[in-house]
């Protein structure tokens, strides 16, 4: 009886151990025996002409005989926000078993007669160039030859095509699956790890249970049970058994008209004698026969490099030239800043000292030193400035933290939605930085922390609140179209809950910490009467400085901006996060240097109103990016169809540009504040 209890406990704990050994396909090498079953999955249909994803089964496609099921392993905030809905599919394969003319629709072998609604739906998706995205072992299907090392790979294949005013559906697929032979080392390692974990859990659990039993001691009872005998049949591989890993998933899609219910002839997409088969037209009451062929090919591509072809980006040398160009700009600007700091300011200080020493000299001094009594005068709309600075700190720190981890390889595109999820998590957690920086700046400007909670509340609601409001409006419009890009109501309320339960409390926590910090002392005393600002020279005019401040940073990101926007809006993968991180860091450095130079020019013109203008000059990069986004819409996305599609593009770009404006404006303001504080502190010291 006691041994039965021990065995039951062992079985239960072994089940727990096997659950603990669960892995996400694609993130850990998955090996298959010859003859083992593989099932492909389907992702949402996408199109670069609408930017509206749709559920795969919203079209008249065949469902699996066991019914459709969501892939729970791939559900995360990132995939939900992107509209990815991954489900099982009727496409089943057998490892290294070639099949031709296999029917997709079971058990009838064809899709029921198309209704008028089905025809209209298919026609629209074909005209809008929608693509079907299948997934096998976490690899997306593609029409490109992966072994030819293509310059870039676009996942999926088109739903159909239009010819002479008629639409034809791609109802026949020729799959070529690339596999790489292994000796099962990954499966062995996983099974050995599961055995070790199971044995440890069983031993600990059994000992705890046996302490409550009378009779033999726990040690004596365990000695009667041979653990090796109990776990010797867990499926350890023999060294002679070969296994295979999926390293490529290619497809050739075509349209072949077949008679419903008739025997399937082994027709190919290329046809015989260079004559393609008759295509399947999309018409009312037609019964579409969906079929597929499967071919297997051994490849030298290893599992570790199977994503390389998908992640290739064109213009590799262009990225390096862009970085070298940015480095040259950084060096030139650094030389200018060094000259200002080491020569010009020192010379100005020496002249200022000589004038102070010559009491009888009536020469009137001009320049940045003459605004020492007004340079730290509080700006107008100080609360709004503090709120925008706090929002900018939160955005830039979360963006760089996410890019840093992505550059190290932690956020691979193989983990769908990981990048967006990580960005969301970082943004929520770094709300503490937003609260701290905004309240700290409020204390400096206001010379006290009175009313800091109002500042913290505003910064907690400013960017997230407006963004959620815009997303709410867009979500209603998207939901009206039936697109899977609409955020489900439960997920939307979850986002709002995260904002209220995590972001806002952390923002107030940061503000509370800042309110306990001492307020820094200005190096100069502010006059009671504001100084008159003389009319500026054209070279130091605020508009000229604003326009000039964004040119160099925009030139730095111009190349990477093209590749990033092409990937986002045209469905390509983007994985050059290392380049992106370096270019982002160089952009920040150039923005700092430009902010110092332009602030120095403004102060030399005896204009002490630098608070807001330094922020605006730093954020001027967003203006040039906005002009580029408009040009990208008319040149690259000129096929974008429908008012809602254009509205989505413009709305999302407005959010991105607003985030860039706040982030880079914060960089410009922070560098200008530090520069101004240092140079006037040097005047006081002298």
């Amino acid at each position: 009886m006691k041994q039965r209890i021990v065995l039951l406990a062992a079985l239960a704990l072994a089940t727990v151990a096997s659950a603990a050994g669960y892995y996400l396909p694609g993130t850990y090498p998955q090996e298959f025996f010859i003859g083992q079953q593989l099932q492909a999955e389907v992702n949402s249909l996408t199109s670069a002409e609408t930017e509206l994803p749709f559920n795969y089964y919203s079209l008249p496609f065949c469902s699996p005989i066991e019914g459709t099921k969501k892939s729970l392993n791939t559900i995360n905030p990132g995939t939900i926000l992107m509209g990815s809905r991954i489900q099982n599919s009727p496409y089943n394969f057998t490892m290294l078993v070639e099949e031709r003319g296999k029917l997709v629709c079971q058990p009838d072998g064809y899709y029921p007669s198309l209704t008028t609604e089905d025809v209209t739906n298919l026609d629209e998706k074909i005209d809008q160039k929608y693509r079907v995205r299948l997934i096998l072992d976490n690899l997306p299907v593609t029409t490109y030859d992966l072994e030819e090392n293509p310059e870039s790979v676009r996942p999926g294949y088109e739903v159909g095509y239009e010819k002479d005013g008629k639409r034809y559906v791609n109802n026949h697929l020729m799959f070529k699956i690339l596999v790489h032979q292994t000796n099962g080392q990954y499966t062995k390692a996983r099974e050995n790890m599961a055995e070790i974990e199971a044995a440890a859990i069983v031993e600990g659990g059994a000992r705890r249970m046996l302490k409550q039993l009378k009779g033999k001691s726990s040690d004596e009872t365990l000695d009667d049970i041979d653990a090796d005998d109990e776990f010797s049949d867990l499926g350890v591989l023999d060294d002679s058994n070969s296994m295979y890993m999926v390293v490529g998933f290619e497809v050739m899609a075509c349209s072949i008209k077949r008679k419903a219910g008739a025997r399937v002839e082994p027709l190919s997409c290329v046809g015989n004698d260079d004559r393609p088969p008759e295509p399947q037209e999309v018409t009312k009451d037609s019964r579409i026969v969906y079929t597929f062929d499967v071919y297997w090919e051994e490849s030298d591509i290893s599992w570790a490099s199977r994503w390389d072809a998908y992640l290739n980006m064109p213009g590799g040398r262009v990225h390096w030239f862009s970085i070298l160009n940015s480095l040259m700009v950084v060096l030139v600007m650094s030389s200018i800043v060094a000259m200002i700091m080491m020569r010009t300011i020192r010379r100005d200080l020496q002249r200022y000292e000589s004038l102070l020493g010559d009491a009888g000299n009536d020469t009137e001094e001009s320049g940045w030193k003459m605004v020492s009594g007004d340079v730290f005068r509080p700006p107008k709309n100080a609360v709004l400035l503090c709120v925008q600075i706090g929002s900018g700190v939160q955005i830039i720190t979360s963006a760089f933290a996410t890019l840093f981890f992505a550059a190290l390889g932690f956020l691979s595109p193989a983990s769908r939605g990981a990048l967006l999820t990580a960005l969301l998590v970082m943004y929520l957690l770094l709300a503490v930085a937003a609260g701290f920086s905004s309240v700290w700046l409020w204390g400096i400007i206001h010379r006290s922390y009175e009313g800091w909670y109002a500042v913290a509340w505003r910064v907690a609601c400013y960017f997230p609140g407006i963004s959620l409001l815009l997303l709410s409006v867009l979500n209603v419009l998207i939901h009206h179209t039936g697109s899977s890009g609409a955020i489900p109501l439960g997920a939307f309320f979850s986002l709002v809950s995260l904002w209220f339960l995590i972001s806002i409390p952390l923002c107030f926590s940061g503000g509370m910490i800042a309110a306990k910090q001492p307020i820094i002392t200005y190096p100069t005393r502010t006059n009671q009467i504001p100084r008159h600002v003389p009319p500026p020279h054209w070279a130091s005019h605020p508009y000229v400085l604003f326009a000039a401040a964004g040119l160099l940073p925009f030139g730095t990101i111009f190349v990477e901006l093209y590749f990033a926007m092409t990937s986002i809006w045209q469905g390509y993968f983007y994985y050059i996060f290392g380049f992106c991180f370096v270019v982002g860091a160089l952009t920040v450095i150039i923005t700092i240097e430009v902010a110092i130079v332009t602030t120095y020019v403004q102060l030399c013109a005896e204009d002490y109103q630098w608070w807001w203008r330094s922020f605006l000059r730093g954020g001027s990069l967003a203006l040039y990016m906005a002009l580029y986004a408009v040009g990208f819409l008319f040149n690259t996305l000129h096929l974008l169809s429908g008012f809602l599609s254009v509205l989505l593009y413009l709305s999302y770009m407005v959010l991105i540009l607003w985030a860039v404006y706040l982030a880079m404006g914060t960089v410009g303001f922070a560098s200008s504040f530090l520069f101004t504080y240092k140079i006037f502190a040097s005047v006081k010291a002298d």
Side-chain angles (χ1 to χ4, degrees), residues 199-269:
I201 295 175
V202 167
E203 182 177 355
R207 288 183 184 275
R208 287 192 298 269
M209 290 185 63
L210 289 176
K211 286 181 181 179
Q212 303 175 4
L213 299 175
K214 297 180 180 180
K216 291 184 178 182
S217 66
S218 61
D219 292 335
E220 293 174 345
T221 305
L222 285 176
D223 290 338
D224 294 338
I225 301 174
D226 189 350
D228 292 335
D229 292 339
E230 297 296 332
F231 297 101
S232 59
D233 297 328
L234 288 179
V236 178
L237 295 170
D238 187 86
D239 291 336
S240 62
N241 293 338
S242 295
M243 302 189 74
Y244 294 86
M245 296 187 296
V246 177
V247 295
F249 191 28
E250 303 174 10
V251 68
M252 178 183 292
C254 60
S255 182
I256 299 179
K257 185 176 182 179
R258 300 182 189 271
K259 185 177 180 181
R263 186 178 67 88
V264 177
E265 299 181 4
L267 299 178
S268 173
C269 289

Side-chain angles (χ1 to χ4, degrees), residues 435-447:
F436 180 89
S437 54
S438 59
V439 172
W440 183 76
L441 181 61
W442 168 252
I444 293 175
I445 296 176
H446 194 60
R447 307 312 298 167

Side-chain angles (χ1 to χ4, degrees), residues 348-399:
D348 291 344
L349 289 173
Q350 290 174 353
R351 291 176 56 192
Y352 184 63
E353 292 174 3
S354 63
L355 288 174
L356 291 177
D358 189 2
N361 195 342
D362 295 333
T363 304
E364 183 179 354
E365 178 61 18
S366 61
W368 59 271
K369 299 169 296 301
M370 303 307 295
V371 297
S372 60
D374 298 272
V375 70
F376 293 108
R377 186 177 300 279
K380 298 180 180 179
N381 298 324
V383 175
L384 179 59
L385 178 63
C386 295
V387 168
Q388 293 196 356
I389 293 296
S391 300
V393 169
Q394 185 178 7
I395 292 170
I396 196 169
T397 51
S398 57

Side-chain angles (χ1 to χ4, degrees), residues 97-108:
V97 176
E98 292 191 357
E99 299 175 282
R100 300 193 63 185
K102 187 174 181 180
L103 293 171
V104 179
C105 304
Q106 298 295 340
D108 298 331

Side-chain angles (χ1 to χ4, degrees), residues 303-363:
W303 187 90
S305 58
R306 66 176 190 161
W307 273 90
D308 290 356
Y310 292 92
L311 304 180
N312 278 344
M313 291 293 292
R317 292 185 178 180
V318 176
H319 299 284
W320 288 109
F321 284 131
S322 173
I323 290 178
L324 290 176
N325 176 63
S326 302
L327 285 174
M328 294 300 297
V329 174
V330 168
L331 291 176
V332 172
M333 291 301 300
S334 298
S335 301
I336 296 175
V337 172
M339 183 179 64
I340 291 175
M341 297 294 292
M342 298 180 63
R343 297 186 60 184
T344 307
I345 293 180
R346 186 175 298 274
R347 184 185 60 196
D348 291 344
L349 289 173
Q350 290 174 353
R351 291 176 56 192
Y352 184 63
E353 292 174 3
S354 63
L355 288 174
L356 291 177
D358 189 2
N361 195 342
D362 295 333
T363 304

Side-chain angles (χ1 to χ4, degrees), residues 131-157 175-179 246-251 299 301-314 412-416 563 567 570-577:
R131 300 178 70 87
V132 179
R133 298 185 296 170
L134 297 179
I135 302 170
L136 180 64
D137 191 31
N138 207 35
L139 276 181
V141 73
T142 180
T143 57
Y144 296 80
D145 190 343
L146 298 176
E147 292 190 306
E148 293 296 329
N149 195 23
E151 189 176 54
S152 61
V153 170
R154 189 177 184 184
Y157 62 90
F175 293 108
K176 185 174 78 170
I177 303 176
L178 306 180
V179 294
V246 177
V247 295
F249 191 28
E250 303 174 10
V251 68
S299 173
I301 301 175
S302 64
W303 187 90
S305 58
R306 66 176 190 161
W307 273 90
D308 290 356
Y310 292 92
L311 304 180
N312 278 344
M313 291 293 292
S412 169
S415 302
R416 291 171 177 82
F563 288 107
S567 301
Q570 293 196 309
Y572 292 93
F573 288 104
Y574 185 87
Y575 192 60
I576 47 177
F577 296 116

